[in-house]
Every structure is written in structure tokens, then in C-alpha cells.
Amino acid sequence: MRKLGLLAVLFAPLALAESVSVEPHSLLRLPASSSVLQLQRLDVADYGTLLIPANLTDLSVEQLRLGHEARIAVVPGEQELRLRAQHAELGSGSQILARGAPGTHQKAARAGRNLDVQLQSLNAQELNIDARGGAGADGYAGLDGGNGEAPGCTWGSAGRGGNGDNGGDGLPGASGANVRLRVPATFASESIKVRTDGGQGGAAGVPGRAGAGGKSKGCVVYRAEGGKSGREGLPGRVGEAGAAGTLSVQRF
């Protein structure tokens, strides 16, 4: 039955499947062939992870069950993900993860994925959602200055050490997601744990070290003095944190 359901997910433009199950301690990625998926049952066993691709924007489930420390991980994307469940049972430590991706010096950090989550009935000690923005890349470390040349006994003086380069600035973090929740009125407010913080800015790049001057040298006729050391570079600046997202909770 599960195989038939997954085949439907793979080939139908509006994917319809009876059930999807994730085994304990395993990862299952939903196919990226459809933007809408309807399931009768979605079961993520203990320590399992279901990965939702960026193009999936609407997931409707009649029966949703997350085991102990189970995860629904949402790939960052520009479009909001709508998650609907008629009946949801969430085990201890389970989470919906919609965090943004960390940045690099080639790609900016990505924002948390916007979510619209509606759970018609909910059996859980806590509802945990992490939709923080991705962290910015750290600044480059400055290059060290080169050492000065040693003096000769018949020519010149010792070379001065080179200056260290300045450290690079950290890059900005991305914004947290906007999360809308619709949960039963009987579900306690203190049991809703949602994080929409902006991503941390990248750490400041460390400065390059000063190059040492050429060492003094004793000669037969005179002593050649050593050269002066260069200057250490300046540290970079810490990147700016991303803007915080928002949380809206409605009850029915």
C-alpha cells in the first residue's frame, strides 16, 4: 500500500496518496514533482525525518503522527508552505523545522520558510516550530604580513616586516519566517514553542599578524641592526543579524 502511495506522489500532477511512512532513524524526501500533496496518513517514526522540498507549497493530511524526536524538515523557499492536518499527534521532542540556510561568500543566507499551519485536533505536550533565519558567513581572516629580509655584512640594512591585512566583515544573517498557526482553543498557549529569530550575523574576520623585521646580524667589522616589525591588521566587523519574523496564533 505504501509503495502505491509513493508512486502516486511521483507521477500525479496533483499528488494523491493513501499514506507515507518514515522508518525510525531514517530520512525520507518527498518527490519534487508536485506543488500540492494530499495524504490520508503521514507517520514519521521515532527519530525519523521527513524532508519537504522547496516546490511543495500545500500539504494536507487527515492523520499526522510524529514520534519521539521526529522531524518534518522544510527546505527553504520563496513560497509559503501550507500544512493542514485533521488530526495531529506529536510525540515528545518532535519538531517542524523551517529554518533558513546559512550563507557563504558566494550565496547570501536564506530566510526561514514562511508557514501557515492548521491543526484541527491536536494531541501533544508541546508544538515546536523552528523557523529562524540562516546565519551569515564569517568574515575572511586577514593575511599575515611577510617577514623582513636579514641584513648582509657588506651591504644594506635589515628589511622591515610587512603589515598584516585587515580581517573581512561578517555577512548579514537572513530574516526569520512569518508563521501563522491555527490550533484548537483547548491547546495551552504555553505549550506553543515557535522561534522566528533572525539569523546571526557572521563573525568578524581576524586580522593578519604583523610580519617580523629582519633579525640583527653580527659581522666582523660592525653589527647590522634588525628591521622593524610591521603592523597587525584591523579586525573586521560582525555582520548584522537578520530581522525577526512574526508569529500569529488563531484558535477555533
Side-chain angles (χ1 to χ4, degrees), residues 142-146 161-167 207-211 230-234:
L143 296 177
D144 295 339
N163 296 332
D165 288 340
N166 295 337
R209 293 175 295 185
R231 293 191 305 271
E232 185 178 75
L234 299 175

Side-chain angles (χ1 to χ4, degrees), residues 147-167:
N147 294 330
E149 293 184 0
C153 286
T154 58
W155 56 271
S157 58
R160 183 182 183 277
N163 296 332
D165 288 340
N166 295 337

Side-chain angles (χ1 to χ4, degrees), residues 33-119:
S33 56
S34 174
S35 62
V36 179
L37 176 60
Q38 296 179 1
L39 299 171
Q40 288 185 2
R41 184 175 181 84
L42 172 58
D43 191 341
V44 185
D46 295 352
Y47 301 99
T49 300
L50 178 74
L51 190 62
I52 295 180
N55 73 302
L56 182 60
T57 59
D58 199 315
L59 175 60
S60 297
V61 183
E62 290 187 16
Q63 300 281 343
L64 170 63
R65 179 187 174 276
L66 300 182
H68 175 67
E69 298 287 346
R71 304 283 187 268
I72 293 178
V74 184
V75 175
E78 299 299 324
Q79 291 184 289
E80 177 184 80
L81 171 66
R82 294 177 35 152
L83 173 61
R84 303 284 185 270
Q86 293 293 322
H87 306 284
E89 180 181 345
L90 309 181
S92 60
S94 61
Q95 279 188 305
I96 297 173
L97 301 175
R99 294 189 63 171
T104 67
H105 284 272
Q106 287 72 42
K107 291 184 179 180
R110 300 197 65 179
R113 179 87 173 264
N114 292 337
L115 297 175
D116 183 356
V117 179
Q118 178 175 319
L119 306 175

Side-chain angles (χ1 to χ4, degrees), residues 7-45:
L7 286 174
V9 173
L10 284 167
F11 297 111
L14 171 62
L16 301 170
E18 290 193 2
S19 66
V20 170
S21 298
V22 181
E23 300 298 326
H25 300 275
S26 65
L27 169 69
L28 175 66
R29 179 187 174 94
L30 291 176
S33 56
S34 174
S35 62
V36 179
L37 176 60
Q38 296 179 1
L39 299 171
Q40 288 185 2
R41 184 175 181 84
L42 172 58
D43 191 341
V44 185

